[in-house]
Amino acid sequence: ARSRAGQIAKMGYVVFVVDLFGKGNAPKDYKDAATKLNFAKDRKLALTRAQAGLSVTGKLPNADTKKVAVVGFGIGGSVALDLTRHGGELEGAVCVHGDLIPAPGGDPKKVGAS
């Protein structure tokens, strides 16, 4: 995530990386990530952390809050889509290798992102 964020930042974008796992709790691989978040049973924790990150992003001095997009890989991709389905104010969302099944409580009618 840090490497990809660096690449995006070098293109001139303001980048904010959300730690979905908590300090000192970095997963070893995708399976470990799913276990640490209990993602298969409860996607709410990851969504709540992503929503908190999104609110912080809006306070960054150089960020244009009308042009916010999210990019996620694996579980992060699923969370990117969940943000859009739960009314996140986003211009775009990219899901790479994530689960396309909506999290409970999401509303596809709320999706305004590309």
Side-chain angles (χ1 to χ4, degrees):
R2 288 181 184 143
S3 173
R4 186 66 64 197
Q7 290 173 334
I8 294 170
K10 285 179 183 175
M11 291 188 280
Y13 295 95
V14 175
V15 179
F16 182 83
V17 179
V18 176
D19 180 0
L20 297 176
F21 303 97
K23 187 175 182 177
N25 202 18
K28 292 176 249 158
D29 53 33
Y30 182 81
K31 188 174 183 178
D32 188 38
T35 301
K36 286 183 188 294
L37 278 175
N38 198 16
F39 194 72
K41 292 183 181 176
D42 181 13
R43 292 166 70 160
K44 190 173 184 173
L45 175 62
L47 176 61
T48 300
R49 288 178 176 170
Q51 288 169 325
L54 186 59
S55 75
V56 170
T57 303
K59 297 173 186 170
L60 295 173
N62 296 336
D64 182 345
T65 58
K66 303 219 184 291
K67 295 182 179 179
V68 176
V70 293
V71 178
F73 300 84
I75 288 173
S78 301
V79 174
L81 293 178
D82 287 347
L83 273 173
T84 67
R85 294 179 182 128
H86 285 82
E89 301 275 332
L90 301 168
E91 187 71 19
V94 178
C95 171
V96 181
H97 302 296
D99 185 352
L100 301 178
I101 298 169
D107 184 356
K109 294 177 186 165
K110 289 184 178 179
V111 176
S114 298

